Amino acid sequence: MFLGTHHPRLDEKGRLILPAKFRDQLAGGLVITRGQDRCLYVFAMSDFERLAEQMNNTPVTNRGVRNFQRVLLSAASDEIPDKQGRVTVPAVLREYAGLSKDCTVIGTGNRLELWDTTAWTQFLEATEDDFASQGEEVIPGGFF
């Protein structure tokens, strides 16, 4: 499970050093792709393969399904971290997420999200009130 918040930096070649605690889970390969809210999603290859299989079982006659698949898959990049735990974030994905040198990587359970640090801070500020007032709507039955 991916948890926590980390603050790596992009180097001049568009490479990011993965947080050390996630390297073993991602050593066999990963997929970086567009996420929602202008962040990037990072999946372990095995998790992405399961997601792709689920998408293959959805009706392509549904416009929403087609559009979601197009956006998610069209810029997806499979990567294998180097010996230092670095992965290259393709230019099209850096542009989509507005990534600059300062990045924030958050664990969200089955995936990582990669944010520009300023965008992440703005997102947190904008959603704090909603987070504080939600519970039952998001997790039926509450936390426990």
Side-chain angles (χ1 to χ4, degrees), residues 19 30 73 107 128 139:
L30 57 93
L73 299 175
E128 178 57 34
I139 304 173

Side-chain angles (χ1 to χ4, degrees), residues 35-100:
Q36 295 161 307
D37 302 312
R38 289 284 182 178
C39 72
L40 301 180
Y41 290 166
V42 180
F43 293 95
M45 183 62 72
S46 59
D47 290 334
F48 191 80
E49 288 169 350
R50 280 195 295 280
L51 175 61
E53 183 62 32
Q54 288 175 322
M55 286 191 293
N56 286 338
N57 293 322
T58 58
V60 296
T61 54
N62 180 302
R63 181 183 303 269
V65 168
R66 289 192 313 270
N67 289 344
F68 186 87
Q69 289 175 334
R70 288 171 179 151
V71 172
L72 186 75
L73 299 175
S74 63
S77 179
D78 55 329
E79 303 287 334
I80 296 179
D82 68 13
K83 292 180 196 264
Q84 289 80 38
R86 295 178 302 193
V87 293
T88 299
V89 180
V92 66
L93 292 174
R94 292 192 313 264
E95 183 179 320
Y96 170 80
L99 296 181
S100 60

